[in-house]
Amino acid sequence: MNLEQVGYSKSNLLFLGFNQDQGCFACGLDSSFRVYNTDPLRLKEEREFKDGGIGYVEMLFRCNYLALLGGGKCPQFPKHRVIVWDDLKKKVVMELDAESDVRAVKLRRDRIVVVLDTLIKVYTFTYTPQRLHVFETYENPKGLCALCPNSSSSLLAFPDNKLGQVKVVDLANVDKEVTIAAHEAPISCISLNLQGNRLASASEKGTLIRVFDPVTGNRLHELRRGSGQAVIYSINFSHDSSLLCVSSNHDTIHIFNIEDSKRGKQSSLTSASFLPKYFNSTWSCTQIKTSKKDVPSLCAFGADNQSVIALFADGDYFKFRIDQNEPKTEASDNFISSRSASTTS
């Protein structure tokens, strides 16, 4: 999550994002980047820069390569340049220049995906990257894009060049593509599960999250966050893809059971065909109240399905247990200001 793009400037944090399995997260600051273990919270690495800020950090699971973008009032790197950093060698090992500002970067072991305002470019992940594909997108200032990291699935999902549509491309065979008419409003969030067989999306309206089979394009679930408009900041599947968590600019994290929809709340009027779609959606089975309205946040499941981790743009960290009748806070800290945990490798 690029905090400049979402308009949050109340801390020195410029970027916040999980790695592919949410076991770690990275943050970019006005003079450094940091990598943390998610649970338990522990600072693993910190790299200081004298000349400027880091506005984007993309990890590749827990390996030594990271993709960096400059950010903040004084960017460490030009915003049109992708930097691949080797944290073992403590130096830049690769650079990719684009014709305009780069909005996001996605990594898998064999590909680098560079997201621009209306284009997505795919390169080989080699010391001399070769451009393989270019895809046109809808206007995409947030850099929305989801790349499956699984070695058995090479799916890439992004906003199509038509309003409310998501395009899914198999990078192993780009002739295999699916266009999903996901929403009527512009897309605001896209997420793929680790296995590459589920895709979730939300629109700028933020009331519905829809889950699709990314291979066929078939809609599997329609999940209702609420009735009022919201900015969706993150959507993540649990490791077994039975649950989905959603954070927004409201002070509630919603948990949906997509394996057993009976656990989700539904109106008793769902079978009435004459009523609007509002009554046909599955509501969340668990809601976590955070009391942090309008603070941008990310959420993800812990190592099991019994806990949820929430990260906030002001540096607050929470671990919630959700295996009780009511969610309970199990751990909390501030990862920006707290230096109590020693750096470990």
Side-chain angles (χ1 to χ4, degrees):
M1 177 171 53
N2 186 317
L3 298 176
E4 290 181 292
Q5 291 173 357
V6 299
Y8 188 85
S9 58
K10 296 181 179 179
S11 72
N12 64 341
L13 194 65
L14 302 175
F15 173 84
L16 186 60
F18 287 108
N19 71 342
Q20 287 81 359
D21 62 6
Q22 292 91 50
C24 292
F25 67 92
C27 58
L29 297 105
D30 52 15
S31 61
S32 66
F33 73 83
R34 300 178 189 173
V35 174
Y36 293 86
N37 188 75
T38 301
D39 184 24
L41 176 65
R42 184 174 67 249
L43 178 63
K44 292 177 64 64
E45 300 289 346
E46 181 173 15
R47 295 289 165 255
E48 297 280 351
F49 295 98
K50 296 179 180 180
D51 300 325
I54 302 298
Y56 196 97
V57 186
E58 170 75 354
M59 300 180 66
L60 180 56
F61 289 99
R62 293 173 181 259
C63 86
N64 51 300
Y65 292 113
L66 302 97
L68 307 177
L69 298 175
K73 295 179 180 179
C74 181
Q76 172 68 20
F77 309 108
K79 291 188 176 183
H80 68 276
R81 181 170 298 161
V82 177
I83 299 296
V84 177
W85 175 271
D86 186 333
D87 207 49
L88 285 178
K89 297 179 179 178
K90 308 294 187 289
K91 68 176 186 178
V92 175
V93 293
M94 200 184 307
E95 297 183 4
L96 279 171
D97 282 349
E99 63 269 31
S100 61
D101 287 359
V102 178
R103 301 304 183 187
V105 185
K106 299 296 179 183
L107 298 178
R108 50 178 285 141
R109 289 183 171 87
D110 58 351
R111 296 291 183 266
I112 301 172
V113 176
V114 179
V115 186
L116 308 179
D117 277 328
T118 58
L119 293 174
I120 288 182
K121 299 185 177 185
V122 181
Y123 297 83
T124 59
F125 198 157
T126 54
Y127 280 107
T128 306
Q130 302 296 312
R131 194 178 74 187
L132 299 175
H133 314 292
V134 178
F135 303 106
E136 293 184 357
T137 72
Y138 199 76
E139 189 70 30
N140 190 15
K142 292 183 179 179
L144 302 178
C145 178
L147 177 64
C148 182
N150 198 313
S151 59
S152 61
S153 175
S154 303
L155 296 184
L156 174 70
F158 52 88
D160 196 12
N161 53 14
K162 292 185 179 179
L163 179 69
Q165 293 188 351
V166 175
K167 179 163 284 188
V168 182
V169 178
D170 186 345
L171 294 181
N173 181 3
V174 293
D175 292 331
K176 293 171 62 177
E177 63 176 48
V178 174
T179 300
I180 300 172
H183 303 273
E184 295 177 358
I187 304 297
S188 69
C189 196
I190 302 173
S191 178
L192 282 167
N193 66 347
L194 276 172
Q195 296 77 18
N197 58 14
R198 293 292 182 270
L199 180 147
S201 66
S203 76
E204 289 184 357
K205 190 175 180 181
T207 55
L208 294 173
I209 292 87
R210 292 187 171 121
V211 180
F212 302 90
D213 181 328
V215 176
T216 64
N218 293 335
R219 190 168 82 189
L220 304 176
H221 307 281
E222 181 171 273
L223 313 172
R224 181 165 291 276
R225 182 210 54 80
S227 56
Q229 187 164 347
V231 178
I232 303 298
Y233 292 125
S234 72
I235 302 173
N236 270 310
F237 292 90
S238 60
H239 288 190
D240 64 1
S241 300
S242 64
L243 300 173
L244 192 77
C245 60
V246 179
S247 67
S248 72
N249 65 331
H250 293 205
D251 61 351
T252 305
I253 295 171
H254 291 265
I255 313 297
F256 298 90
N257 190 316
I258 54 178
E259 188 174 80
D260 181 8
S261 60
K262 293 180 180 179
R263 285 190 59 192
K265 299 174 184 177
Q266 286 184 307
S267 168
S268 60
L269 302 175
T270 52
S271 60
S273 60
F274 59 87
L275 290 174
K277 293 181 180 179
Y278 179 88
F279 294 97
N280 294 322
S281 308
T282 300
W283 292 67
S284 52
C285 61
T286 303
Q287 298 182 13
I288 302 172
K289 296 291 185 181
T290 66
S291 301
K292 295 183 73 66
K293 187 176 181 180
D294 293 325
V295 181
S297 61
L298 301 178
C299 61
F301 292 93
D304 56 22
N305 289 353
Q306 309 304 317
S307 61
V308 169
I309 307 297
L311 310 176
F312 290 87
D314 59 4
D316 280 350
Y317 166 101
F318 293 92
K319 178 183 178 181
F320 301 101
R321 296 297 301 182
I322 58 171
D323 56 348
Q324 311 292 329
N325 291 331
E326 293 293 331
K328 293 184 178 180
T329 302
E330 187 172 286
S332 63
D333 206 337
N334 187 287
F335 57 84
I336 296 178
S337 60
S338 175
R339 312 296 291 179
S340 57
S342 59
T343 305
T344 61
S345 57

